[in-house]
């Protein structure tokens, strides 16, 4: 059973690529896919591209062309939940598209045709991914240390919001988070792809799970924090977490 490992940016993927064995490079729809073995597990590594449409195209290709059995997203996100700090790790239980609004025809944030505002991730795969992250944090031995953090990284499990906008203002983050929280949807983090992949995977009934390292607080310094984190830290997190996940998936 092949697992697709999706990353948004090359910098997030580079550590995984460096460890890929028997790597085979394939190009479809202008996207590069790498098929091979990672820690004894069959994988396809792919870049989602940026934003919901690019990510949906990549996810569909992974399912239709590569016949992957599951998709796991590893990337970064802006932390908007209380206590979600730079360097923390968020595992998504479900997703919301914060820029979807077909009201008053449909409930705000609901993607018409789907059961609810929240697009759920796969429960079993998410539990395995959370275990993998937890194991990494317990045995971190300083591996996750970096200049952007001021406390040991923590794991948060919950709702993540995606939309076609990089959030780089505390006011915008507040305006996004507050009505969602008031409607019973407290968001931990924001990014730009996960909900689209969740939606495609629901269409195909394919297991999906996502882990995001918090690179910034989606506030007025996000545009500085994000690239620095991406360059210096993101790949290290992804490498460790994916290794732990592959080992778990191979042993099941
Ligand atoms: N990914 C990482 N940080 C983000 C932010 N602040 N907004 C949207 N996507 C992000």
């Amino acid at each position: 059973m092949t697992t697709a490992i999706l990353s948004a940016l090359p910098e997030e993927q580079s550590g995984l690529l460096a460890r890929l064995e028997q790597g085979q490079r394939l190009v479809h729809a202008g996207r590069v896919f790498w098929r091979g073995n990672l820690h004894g597990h069959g994988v396809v590594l792919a870049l989602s591209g940026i934003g919901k449409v690019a990510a949906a195209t990549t996810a569909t290709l992974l399912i239709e062309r590569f016949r992957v059995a599951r998709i796991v997203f590893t990337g970064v996100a802006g932390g908007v939940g209380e206590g979600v700090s730079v360097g923390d790790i968020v595992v998504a239980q479900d997703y919301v598209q914060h820029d979807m609004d077909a009201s008053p025809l449909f409930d705000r944030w609901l993607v018409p045709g789907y059961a609810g505002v929240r697009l759920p991730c796969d429960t079993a795969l998410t539990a395995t991914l959370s275990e993998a992250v937890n194991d990494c944090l317990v045995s971190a031995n300083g591996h996750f240390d970096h200049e952007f953090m001021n406390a040991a990284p923590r794991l948060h499990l919950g709702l993540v919001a995606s939309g076609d906008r990089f959030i780089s203002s505390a006011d915008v983050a507040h305006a996004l988070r507050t009505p969602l929280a008031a409607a019973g949807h407290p968001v931990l983090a924001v990014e730009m792809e996960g909900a689209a992949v969740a939606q495609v995977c629901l269409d195909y009934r394919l297991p999906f799970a996502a882990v995001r390292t918090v690179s910034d607080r989606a506030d007025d310094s996000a545009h500085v924090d994000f690239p620095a984190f991406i360059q210096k830290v993101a790949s290290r997190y992804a490498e460790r977490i994916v290794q732990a996940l592959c080992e778990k998936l191979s042993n099941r």
Side-chain angles (χ1 to χ4, degrees), residues 16 19 39 238-248:
L16 303 176
R19 294 191 180 269
H39 312 291
E239 214 180 301
R240 278 293 279 237
I241 292 167
V242 170
Q243 175 170 357
L245 177 70
C246 285
E247 286 167 359
K248 280 192 190 296

Side-chain angles (χ1 to χ4, degrees), residues 76-78 165-168 190-192 212 215-219 222 226:
V76 298
R165 179 171 190 180
F166 184 80
I167 310 294
S168 57
V190 289
E191 37 90 316
M192 302 176 68
R212 294 276 183 166
S215 55
D216 56 82
R217 278 287 304 169
D219 56 12
F226 170 82

Side-chain angles (χ1 to χ4, degrees), residues 129-232:
L129 182 59
S130 302
E131 278 172 31
V133 172
N134 226 1
D135 291 357
C136 290
L137 290 179
V138 168
S139 64
N141 273 336
H143 195 86
F144 292 151
D145 287 2
H146 50 81
E147 71 255 44
F148 308 101
M149 67 198 271
N150 39 31
R154 294 196 308 147
L155 167 62
H156 308 265
L157 198 60
L159 179 65
V160 177
S162 308
D164 289 326
R165 179 171 190 180
F166 184 80
I167 310 294
S168 57
S169 138
D171 288 347
V172 173
H174 182 77
L176 184 160
R177 196 184 42 163
T178 307
L180 275 163
H185 306 300
V187 172
L188 292 173
V190 289
E191 37 90 316
M192 302 176 68
E193 299 83 20
V197 182
Q199 185 180 336
V200 171
C201 287
L202 283 173
D203 291 343
Y204 282 93
R205 302 186 192 289
L206 197 87
F208 170 63
V211 56
R212 294 276 183 166
T213 306
V214 177
S215 55
D216 56 82
R217 278 287 304 169
D219 56 12
D220 301 61
S221 62
H223 66 290
V224 179
D225 299 340
F226 170 82
F229 193 93
I230 286 279
Q231 252 146 44
K232 295 186 184 157

